Every structure is written in structure tokens, then in C-alpha cells.
Amino acid sequence: MRIRPFRLERYFAVREFGAQYSLASSDCESLVQAELLAMADGECLGLWEGLSLGYTETPGAPFLRCEIAGLYDGIDPEYVLVTVPVEGIFIAMNSILDRGDHVICTFPGYQALYEVAVAIGCEVERWTAQEERGWRFDPDWLHERVRPETRLIAVNFPHNPTGFLPGREDFEHMVATARSCGAYFFSDEMYRHLELEPERRLPPACDLYDRAVSLGGMSKSFGMPGVRIGWLATRDRELLARMAGLKDYTTICASAPSEVLATIALRCRERIIARNLALIQANLELLRGFFARRGVMFAWNEPSAGTVAFPRMLAHGDADGFCDDMYAKAGVMLLPASAFEYGDRHFRIGFGRRNMPEALATFEEHLPDTGV
Ligand SMILES: Cc1ncc(COP(=O)(O)O)c(C=O)c1O
């Protein structure tokens, strides 16, 4: 397979570990291992102490799949396949799609969600968010664009990079559209649980539709990207078997220590999510003040969920130059829209990290005094 470079990952590879501050990241402040182990119950501590560093079961350790199934209403542990999060996208796309298939994917977005389909030779149609309507994805547009040969609709809510979260009615309309033409519905739910108003949390797609696949993981909402644990959940047994078969060619099984660490975190998920939401709420308050002060320079749609926003630049040239300058002069890393192939007027700003107030202050110090 020939696949184009992953623009966001290439941008991070060059800058992430050299930046003094990252305002580009989309994960929540990472947990420290000692902090996590201090939350472990007796059973998990036993698993940790007695851990064998051998191969684990290929679909994922039973105790972990059991915790994951608990996040859903209609998913039994055997409907869960543990993968690295981005691997889950790769595996699902390769299990569902063939050359020539019609695919619709939310755009701008996490590149793997459409690029794997492009590499397979699919006809990929971009479903563009409406910035002037708070980055809404219009379900009526989707309904009009599907055809009998549409094989897959791929969405990501809460959405990276805009922070958009559809209302339940819109989301159910999207799923109904997939059902109406028999398409698969791939739902990237990596930022689920980070809704600023928890009552707006969407039901997982795999609970709504038999041909839906939900992607979840520990990287974003749980602040554990380093464990590299994610999962695919679907009630489509035949698809699940195909995805499991492909995993034999990628990672075979997950890392044994990571499976235990993820299990510990899922067992005390309420505490971890509450910690992360509190951090996000506080940081978002600072961003509100920032964008109010800097309204001549930037326009933004406030996010409804997740850890990122996608402001538009009203001055200061192109986003690539602006982000490069900020990195060189202030040591602050932002992510220009070119990483999303979305022109040169926007950048992604992340607010899930503990040092975000300091990073934002440094960013602002390096903006012109005039506010323009
Ligand atoms: C929407 C979305 N899906 C999937 C992933 C993949 O997660 P990971 O990097 O942990 O594999 C990311 C990571 O940025 C993401 O933003």
C-alpha cells in the first residue's frame, strides 16, 4: 500500500519534543504511573504485581474487554477488539473497504479517517464543517450525498480539530442515513466523556446500529496516550472477525503492562474524567478571556467538547508562518491548518494540559501589543 504522509504526525515529529510549550496537543494532561497505581483496587494491584510479560490474548485481555464493554449498553466483551487507537482506524478501513467504494468522511479531520480509504483506492467525499454555523456538520447534506454504493460514513465527534459536538437528533439522523443505504458507520469517539455539558454526551454509535463501529481509547479523555490502548466495538460479528484477522498482521496483541494500566484507569474512570474536565473548564475560561481581548486578531467558535479549538486568523499572514514564528520566538507550538489540508487561515489550539495557562500567557506576550 502506498499512502501519503500523515501531515499532523510529521509536524509533531519535528517540533513536539523541542517545544517549551505545546498549545498544539489534543490529549489531556498525562497521568503519572504512581498516581494511577495509587488508585488501583486490590484485584488490579494483584494483576500488576503478578504480571507476566508474555503475549496476551489477541482480541485483548478478558479483564480489560470486560471494563471496555461496561462503557456501552449493547456491547458484550466479545464485541470488543483491543488495538492501538490509530491502528483501529487502519484495521477497520482495510476490513470494510475495497477499491472504488464510495466513502464520506467529516472534514477537516484526523487524516487517518480518510487517508487510508484514499490509499485503498476509494472515492472519498469530504463532508465539510460549516464554520459560520459553529462548525456544524449538516446531516441533511449527508442524507443528500449518500448513494446505494456508499460503503462507509466516517465521523468523529467530539470533533478534532473544531471541538464540535452535534445534538443527539442530528447524530441519530446521521446514523439513520447510514442505515438507509446499508453503509457502515465508523464513529471515532476518542474524545467521548469530555463533553462540557455531560448531558450532551452522545450515545455510542455501536449501540445504535449493527453496522456501526465505535473507536474508543485511553489517549485523550483518560490522559494515557503512552499506554497505546484503544479499541473497536461493534455488534457486527463478521466484520469483527475480519478486523481481528488483520490485527494478526499489525500488532497481534496489546502490551501486557498497558492492558493492566488501562484496566485500572477504566475502573476509576469517573475520578479521572472529573480531573480532566476540571482542567479543561479552567483552561477554557482563560481562552474565552484571550479571544475576547484579541477579537481583532482571531475569531473562534467555542468548542462544546474535547480539548481543542480551531480559531481563524483575521490578521498576521498565513497560519504556517505565524505558527513557525511563534515556535521560533516563544517556544510555543501551535498546529497550523495545513496539517489538516484546510487552507492557511486557521490553527488548532489545545487546552487539555496543566501548563496551558503559562503557555497561553507566553503566546500572548509574543503577540503585538496593539492586539492586531
Ligand atoms: C480523532 C482522533 N482519532 C484517533 C486518534 C489516534 O489516537 P492515538 O494517537 O492514541 O493512536 C487521534 C489522535 O490524535 C485523534 O485525534
Side-chain angles (χ1 to χ4, degrees):
M1 169 186 269
R2 298 226 184 281
I3 189 159
R4 292 190 309 156
F6 201 134
R7 299 171 79 108
L8 177 149
E9 293 302 337
R10 288 302 95 213
Y11 195 90
F12 267 76
V14 177
R15 293 168 178 80
E16 184 179 10
F17 292 99
Q20 194 181 352
Y21 296 110
S22 176
L23 273 180
S25 303
S26 61
D27 46 351
C28 289
E29 180 73 18
S30 291
L31 280 161
V32 170
Q33 180 167 298
E35 197 184 351
L36 181 69
L37 288 177
M39 293 188 233
D41 58 27
E43 195 185 353
C44 284
L45 275 182
L47 285 172
W48 184 244
E49 297 292 332
L51 180 69
S52 152
L53 297 176
Y55 285 110
T56 71
E57 294 189 33
T58 55
F63 51 81
L64 172 58
R65 291 161 82 209
C66 206
E67 292 306 322
I68 294 169
L71 301 171
Y72 304 93
D73 282 340
I75 292 292
D76 295 333
E78 68 264 32
Y79 297 151
V80 173
L81 179 67
V82 174
T83 63
V84 173
V86 68
E87 177 196 18
I89 299 175
F90 190 83
I91 285 180
M93 298 296 160
N94 275 291
S95 303
I96 294 171
L97 298 173
D98 278 315
R99 168 172 291 278
D101 282 342
H102 180 234
V103 174
I104 298 180
C105 182
T106 41
F107 187 83
Y110 189 66
Q111 192 176 340
L113 291 171
Y114 56 88
E115 199 66 54
V116 179
V118 170
I120 291 168
C122 300
E123 178 196 347
V124 178
E125 201 167 343
R126 294 174 172 185
W127 178 13
T128 305
Q130 299 169 306
E131 182 176 15
E132 66 290 356
R133 296 189 65 192
W135 293 118
R136 180 169 185 244
F137 286 91
D138 179 6
D140 291 331
W141 182 94
L142 179 70
H143 196 74
E144 282 159 24
R145 300 305 293 188
V146 291
R147 322 170 194 153
E149 67 273 21
T150 302
R151 179 76 172 159
L152 174 73
I153 296 167
V155 304
N156 161 226
F157 304 123
H159 183 242
N160 170 18
T162 65
F164 173 75
L165 179 70
R168 187 176 174 139
E169 207 177 301
D170 277 6
F171 188 62
E172 286 178 354
H173 187 178
M174 296 171 199
V175 175
T177 296
R179 188 182 284 112
S180 72
C181 63
Y184 284 97
F185 191 84
F186 186 87
S187 179
D188 180 326
E189 298 164 4
M190 289 294 289
Y191 297 87
R192 191 161 183 268
H193 302 285
L194 293 181
E195 299 77 11
L196 295 166
E197 297 166 53
E199 62 282 5
R200 285 198 55 201
R201 182 170 307 154
L202 295 171
C206 61
D207 278 343
L208 297 180
Y209 176 41
D210 280 351
R211 300 193 102 183
V213 182
S214 290
L215 172 76
M218 305 307 293
S219 305
K220 311 297 179 181
S221 317
F222 297 94
M224 294 170 62
V227 298
R228 312 304 299 128
I229 293 280
W231 56 85
L232 297 164
T234 181
R235 295 195 301 235
D236 186 325
R237 283 176 181 278
E238 199 254 329
L239 174 62
L240 199 62
R242 260 185 285 146
M243 296 195 298
L246 264 188
K247 191 185 162 192
D248 288 340
Y249 284 98
T250 52
T251 54
I252 301 174
C253 69
S255 139
S258 289
E259 289 192 317
V260 177
L261 294 172
T263 303
I264 295 171
L266 288 173
R267 282 198 181 177
C268 46
R269 59 180 174 269
E270 262 121 51
R271 261 167 86 182
I272 296 175
I273 297 290
R275 157 213 191 254
N276 291 341
L277 267 179
L279 196 60
I280 286 171
Q281 297 274 16
N283 287 345
L284 198 52
E285 192 54 40
L286 297 179
L287 271 190
R288 280 188 199 110
F290 171 85
F291 284 115
R293 285 191 300 280
R294 296 284 170 170
V296 184
M297 197 169 175
F298 306 114
W300 81 321
N301 283 311
E302 195 175 313
S304 306
T307 50
V308 289
F310 203 45
R312 167 184 280 272
M313 290 171 51
L314 306 174
H316 271 293
D318 68 288
D320 278 293
F322 177 72
C323 294
D324 274 350
D325 245 33
M326 204 39 83
Y327 182 75
K329 287 190 194 142
V332 175
M333 181 182 168
L334 296 160
L335 184 65
S338 58
F340 296 98
E341 302 179 279
Y342 195 74
D344 62 3
R345 304 312 310 157
H346 298 82
F347 60 90
R348 185 177 85 179
I349 187 161
F351 49 91
R353 298 274 178 94
R354 194 170 283 140
N355 70 353
M356 187 272 187
E358 224 176 305
L360 187 66
T362 308
F363 175 39
E364 193 164 13
E365 268 165 35
H366 287 80
L367 292 174
D369 287 339
T370 56
V372 181

